Amino acid sequence: MTRILITAFEPYDRWKENSSWLALVDLTSWYDGALEIATRRYPVDLPKLRESLEADLARNYDYAIHLGQSPGSAVIKLESVGLNLRTNGEPLLVDAPTAYRSTLDLDGCLQRLTGAGIPAQISHHAGTYLCNAALFLSQHYGEMMGRRTQSLFIHLPLTPGQVAADESALASMSTPMQSAAIALVAEHLAQSDS
């Protein structure tokens, strides 16, 4: 059985909810497929994120799918590169590679999503905040620990409820569509591995 760790983030700044956590909670309410899924909610705090990732990756999952919200995005974004870079321009880790490029079948994941009518794209820059840190550190710890875990980061749009509460005109996507996207990606990864 394929073992997958799926993580999301807690709310931050002006967002009283985080679409990544909402989607993950929704997924766990209906998913009954063949994958063995473990879930975590990470704090929006780099030292705590590092500690949590190291502990979780020690469990040697087949895949780690990290989720984060992307205010303003209208599509699911499959991130292809984790950069060793913080917002202030400093490296996340000294004496670590500049970047890790995903070796996962992102094109296949994209086809599964768009084929199901879910707007998505492959993105080549996860930013320089905690979303990028989660991807880079997950890739790095997996490599350094000699784990089989392969990592992916998925950016999710805001939900309609978040946009309404914010009284803004930002793009949004329903939570059920987001959780369906996560399941499709996870199942595609498991199938491409068998």
Side-chain angles (χ1 to χ4, degrees):
M1 178 178 288
T2 303
R3 298 173 62 241
I4 300 182
L5 170 68
I6 307 179
T7 73
F9 282 109
E10 68 185 2
Y12 64 94
D13 294 340
R14 75 181 199 250
W15 305 108
K16 300 200 178 353
E17 295 182 296
N18 191 308
S19 62
S20 68
W21 181 245
L22 296 173
L24 187 51
V25 168
D26 188 68
L27 175 70
T28 61
S29 74
W30 61 263
Y31 184 79
D32 63 355
L35 305 176
E36 182 182 317
I37 295 175
T39 63
R40 300 285 187 276
R41 184 167 97 158
Y42 287 159
V44 179
D45 177 279
L46 183 57
K48 290 179 181 174
L49 171 65
R50 283 182 177 166
E51 183 180 321
S52 298
L53 271 172
E54 279 195 85
D56 286 333
L57 293 176
R59 294 182 172 92
N60 211 21
Y61 293 96
D62 296 296
Y63 297 98
I65 299 175
H66 304 291
L67 310 172
Q69 76 175 17
S70 179
S73 177
V75 301
I76 302 283
K77 292 181 184 176
L78 305 169
E79 300 295 346
S80 66
V81 179
L83 300 173
N84 187 7
L85 187 66
R86 297 184 194 206
T87 304
N88 65 4
E90 296 293 320
L92 287 163
L93 296 173
V94 178
D95 297 327
T98 303
Y100 286 100
R101 186 172 181 83
S102 178
T103 58
L104 296 172
D105 180 20
L106 298 185
D107 289 326
C109 292
L110 179 63
Q111 289 173 7
R112 286 287 293 268
L113 293 175
T114 56
I118 299 174
Q121 67 183 29
I122 294 173
S123 167
H124 305 293
H125 197 293
T128 55
Y129 194 46
L130 285 185
C131 294
N132 171 69
L135 177 57
F136 178 83
L137 294 171
S138 186
Q139 291 167 315
H140 185 70
Y141 293 151
E143 184 83 16
M144 294 301 103
M145 294 171 156
R147 303 296 184 195
R148 69 171 176 255
T149 308
Q150 296 181 73
S151 301
L152 172 64
F153 195 94
I154 302 175
H155 263 125
L156 304 171
L158 297 172
T159 67
Q162 287 177 286
V163 172
D166 192 52
E167 298 181 356
S168 65
L170 294 170
S172 66
M173 181 182 287
S174 74
T175 299
M177 182 174 279
Q178 292 183 29
S179 69
I182 298 162
L184 284 169
V185 168
E187 288 175 349
H188 178 77
L189 294 177
Q191 289 166 5
S192 62
D193 203 27
S194 55

